[in-house]
């Protein structure tokens, strides 16, 4: 009997990957998941706790492998053992500050890992790829809202963002050289929130820098005070503006991209996944406090180096061509993140581990 056709998801146990797999399974896809756990919970008996919880949430099984994209032999086994028809590629190192300290580590993981994956896909005649890209490729936007026509790569301010830009250009070249490639790159704006169950969420075991986890950890008392980096931007309240998008909206965006690829060859296309709404740091803090009935004490410090004043998407192209639109509100982003935080004060470490995976 023909093996079930599967979607290979790399970086599967990460924040976006784990949420995306919930939506893929609920849409009826068979999922083959791989992760190397560099950004998961270190030192736990079963590092695949996030994926076990995805199985619990959906009641469906996942074929799961611990695998690094730099381990071509192990990666090749996965392609041999499964009938893979499409790939969704999340696996990458993504800490902006760390990327400036260790550029080679980031280029090796994010670029060589991608090349290894592409070579194996081609060897197995798999050409459908959804690539996890980022609004960071736009650098300081010359016009707002940001459309897919905005220039990319010109003034990206960090190594992490450059790896995303270089992979996008690599995929363009690949698609030009070989018309069999069928690629969608999704440029996320600022992912926040968590699955409504509170069972999976953003659990960076490394020092994190993103705003929402910081707000949440101050609210729960794990950090004393939030630092607002700069209140002298030319924005209504002086603080930085971003397009925060619920991680479950990102998840449905990936399924919409998969379905678009299944409909036929499109070469390579790029889509912004954002809400189209710009929200300031101060607005997010106030919304989080009001929705969750908590206080988030803060201090104002000078601007963070490399920060951009204002970024928000024009999501019309994804809406018209993928039939996708973000539906979660800022309030839901705040309440869903808080539910995850309060149910898991120490992230996935909270779980007592009985069975390995
Ligand atoms: C948001 C706003 C800060 C922390 C980064 C990556 C990007 C993407 C999303 C992967 C800014 C302010 C933050 C804090 C603050 N990641 N802030 N105090 O920098 O927009 O984007 O994460 O794809 O690639 O660059 O997100 O959450 O760090 O900052 O005042 O403690 O919050 O100045 O205005 P950013 P962020």
């Amino acid at each position: 009997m023909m093996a079930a056709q599967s979607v290979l998801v790399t970086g599967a146990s990460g924040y976006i990957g784990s949420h995306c797999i919930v939506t893929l399974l609920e849409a009826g896809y068979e999922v083959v998941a791989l992760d190397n756990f560099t950004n998961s919970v270190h030192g736990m008996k079963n590092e695949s706790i996030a994926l076990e919880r995805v199985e619990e949430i959906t009641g469906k099984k996942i074929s799961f492998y611990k695998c690094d994209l730099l381990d071509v032999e192990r990666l090749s086994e996965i392609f041999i053992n499964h009938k893979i028809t499409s790939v969704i590629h999340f696996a990458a190192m993504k800490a902006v500050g760390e990327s400036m300290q260790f550029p080679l580590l980031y280029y090796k993981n994010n670029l060589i890992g991608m090349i290894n994956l592409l070579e194996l896909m081609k060897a197995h005649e798999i050409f459908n790829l959804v690539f996890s890209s980022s609004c960071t490729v736009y650098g300081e936007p010359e016009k707002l809202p940001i459309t897919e026509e905005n220039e990319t790569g010109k003034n990206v301010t960090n190594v992490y963002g450059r790896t995303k830009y270089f992979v996008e250009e690599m995929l363009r070249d690949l698609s030009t050289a070989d018309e069999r490639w069928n690629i969608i790159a999704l440029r996320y704006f600022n992912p926040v929130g968590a699955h409504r169950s509170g069972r999976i969420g953003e659990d960076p075991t490394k020092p994190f820098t993103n705003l929402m986890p910081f707000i949440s950890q101050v609210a729960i008392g794990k950090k004393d005070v939030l630092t607002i980096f700069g209140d002298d931007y030319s924005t209504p309240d002086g603080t930085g503006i971003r397009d925060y998008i619920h991680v479950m909206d990102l998840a449905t965006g990936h399924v919409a991209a998969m379905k678009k690829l299944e409909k036929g060859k499109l070469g390579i296309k790029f889509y912004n996944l954002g809400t189209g709404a710009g929200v300031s740091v101060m607005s997010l803090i106030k919304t989080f406090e009001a929705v969750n009935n908590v206080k988030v004490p803060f201090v104002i410090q000078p601007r963070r180096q490399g920060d951009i004043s204002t970024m928000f998407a024009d999501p019309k192209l994804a809406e018209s061509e993928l039939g996708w639109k973000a539906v979660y509100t800022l309030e839901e982003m705040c309440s869903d993140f808080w539910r995850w935080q309060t149910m898991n004060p120490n992230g996935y470490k909270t779980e007592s581990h009985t069975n390995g995976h």
Side-chain angles (χ1 to χ4, degrees), residues 3-189:
Q5 302 210 331
S6 299
V7 182
L8 173 65
V9 178
T10 73
S13 75
Y15 175 42
I16 318 285
S18 54
H19 285 80
C20 184
I21 292 175
V22 169
T23 308
L24 283 168
L25 291 171
E26 289 174 347
Y29 286 95
E30 292 282 325
V31 172
V32 176
L34 74 82
D35 202 297
N36 70 357
F37 296 109
T38 50
N39 199 26
S40 296
V41 193
H42 288 294
M44 275 173 48
K45 277 205 289 291
N46 66 330
E47 295 165 313
S48 63
I49 182 80
L51 291 174
E52 285 177 22
R53 290 191 181 182
V54 169
E55 290 182 324
E56 168 206 309
I57 290 168
T58 58
K60 296 176 185 284
K61 296 305 281 176
I62 303 167
S63 303
F64 175 62
Y65 296 85
K66 182 171 181 176
C67 175
D68 189 306
L69 294 182
L70 299 180
D71 181 348
V72 177
E73 192 179 333
R74 174 128 174 90
L75 183 58
S76 176
E77 287 167 13
I78 296 171
F79 280 88
I80 292 165
N81 295 341
H82 292 272
K83 177 82 184 91
I84 291 162
T85 49
S86 300
V87 175
I88 302 182
H89 178 51
F90 294 104
M93 300 181 78
K94 64 155 190 114
V96 170
E98 186 184 55
S99 78
M100 300 304 282
Q101 282 183 284
F102 306 107
L104 269 186
L105 187 63
Y106 271 68
Y107 287 123
K108 185 173 170 187
N109 271 279
N110 293 3
L111 300 186
I112 306 296
M114 177 88 259
I115 290 170
N116 291 344
L117 179 66
L118 292 167
E119 287 182 332
L120 273 169
M121 287 177 69
K122 184 178 177 188
H124 291 267
E125 299 195 352
I126 302 160
F127 297 101
N128 281 10
L129 170 68
V130 176
F131 170 58
S132 164
S133 191
S134 168
C135 63
T136 313
V137 302
Y138 293 114
E140 179 84 47
E142 72 270 8
K143 73 176 181 59
L144 289 164
I146 297 172
T147 73
E148 290 80 358
E149 299 311 310
N150 271 56
E151 188 172 353
T152 58
K154 194 172 71 173
N155 48 8
V156 178
T157 56
N158 58 77
V159 169
Y160 158 76
R162 273 190 283 281
T163 66
K164 289 295 183 183
Y165 170 66
F166 292 156
V167 170
E168 283 197 0
E169 293 305 298
M170 189 192 318
L171 294 175
R172 276 186 213 275
D173 292 338
L174 196 57
S175 169
T176 305
D178 182 342
E179 63 177 20
R180 291 175 294 174
W181 285 100
N182 201 27
I183 300 169
I184 287 179
L186 298 175
R187 293 168 178 164
Y188 311 160
F189 279 69

